[in-house]
Amino acid sequence: MSDLAFGIDIGGSGIKGAPVDLVAGEYADKRTRIPTPQPSTPQAVADVLAKLVDTYQLSDDVPIGVAFPAPMQHGVVRSMANLDQSWTGVDLPALVQRATGRHAVAVNDADAAGVGEVRYGAARDADGVVLVATLGTGIGSALVVDGVLVPNTELGHLEIDGHDAESRAADSAREREDLSWDEWAERLQRYFGVVEDLLSPDLIVVGGGVSKHHEKYLPSLHLRAPIVPAQLRNAAGIVGAAALAAGR
Ligand code: BGC
């Protein structure tokens, strides 16, 4: 099998993709970003995906992995908050396969990022239970046990203190409420404290764009498990989805 797969990260504002070198765990060519079409219907997004893949000269056997910002089960979108509502019930791998003629897999965006971090990043070769949490508009979660993904966890939606956890502790809450780093760290302490009591992870990895400012809030957190910033940053979803597409 070739060491190349194509990874795509579908987001509310942009659709990003790049060929991924699966040995190095990094882009094999520059990343392309196309704005998410409005309305972001499945067909409109499928057309963008086909265009994105056509930007590159890839042999026919290069598979496609897609990271998608919603709960998914076996590639089928369970519910949708960030894109057009008509996504609910769509079989995403089948849609991508029709649009590109290539083998495709699709997973939740945080699951993809988790796989990226475990295969190539901050949790590389970690044994035991690894929790990867992405802090952005929402909170995404990936649970990986001895290198195997336990898919579809939605730990951003735990109800904590009467609130949907991500509405208080996501990076968007920090921005919306203009919280200081210390105030936000208190929210994160409460969030990760609850998650830690439920799952006893051996390692917690924090991803999402705000992970680049990790020194402003991670040192304030006191948990039993080590809590470390993600290493692949924004590439984690694309790299992880590509790895899953190639069965790595
Ligand atoms: C969604 C998750 C997603 C996360 C990050 C949450 O609101 O429910 O499926 O992984 O946001 O995009």
Side-chain angles (χ1 to χ4, degrees):
M1 185 186 279
S2 131
D3 286 328
L4 200 70
F6 194 83
I8 296 177
D9 191 355
I10 299 180
S13 57
I15 299 178
K16 293 143 274 180
V20 173
D21 172 336
L22 297 169
V23 176
E26 59 192 31
Y27 299 156
D29 199 342
K30 69 174 180 19
R31 191 194 79 162
T32 300
R33 179 185 189 278
I34 299 179
T36 306
Q38 298 303 335
S40 52
T41 57
Q43 193 50 54
V45 169
D47 292 345
V48 170
L49 300 187
K51 198 165 134 197
L52 194 59
V53 174
D54 280 348
T55 314
Y56 301 86
Q57 256 97 50
L58 301 172
S59 64
D60 292 344
D61 61 350
V62 172
I64 300 185
V66 182
F68 197 71
M72 321 260 303
Q73 210 166 356
H74 305 296
V76 177
V77 180
R78 195 149 56 70
S79 65
M80 176 42 82
N82 303 322
L83 297 173
D84 196 79
Q85 291 304 311
S86 58
W87 275 98
T88 303
V90 168
D91 182 332
L92 185 49
L95 182 82
V96 179
Q97 224 148 326
R98 277 199 304 279
T100 64
R102 292 166 189 277
H103 170 70
V105 303
V107 293
N108 170 261
D109 55 359
D111 278 348
V115 169
E117 290 297 331
V118 167
R119 300 277 185 278
Y120 307 105
R124 188 169 189 158
D125 299 329
D127 290 329
V129 177
V130 177
L131 171 75
V132 180
T134 62
L135 306 176
T137 310
I139 296 181
S141 63
L143 195 64
V144 183
V145 183
D146 291 333
V148 179
L149 174 70
V150 181
N152 312 329
T153 57
E154 283 286 336
L155 298 174
H157 295 295
L158 286 173
E159 187 180 318
I160 300 178
D161 303 327
H163 299 275
D164 184 17
E166 70 174 25
S167 72
R168 304 265 300 160
D171 191 41
S172 59
R174 180 183 67 81
E175 288 179 339
R176 190 175 56 244
E177 299 181 46
D178 202 16
L179 300 175
S180 68
W181 292 109
D182 283 348
E183 287 168 329
W184 189 50
E186 281 175 31
R187 305 258 181 114
L188 292 177
Q189 176 68 37
R190 176 79 182 125
Y191 176 67
F192 284 113
V194 170
V195 173
E196 177 162 64
D197 284 346
L198 291 173
L199 295 173
S200 299
D202 297 292
L203 173 67
I204 303 174
V205 179
V206 174
V210 74
S211 63
K212 65 173 173 287
H213 301 298
H214 60 90
E215 75 291 344
K216 302 217 164 70
Y217 55 93
L218 286 189
S220 313
L221 301 189
H222 300 287
L223 298 156
R224 293 188 296 278
I227 182 162
V228 299
Q231 277 173 11
L232 303 188
R233 302 268 165 77
N234 286 339
I238 289 177
V239 170
L244 287 166
R248 305 280 171 106

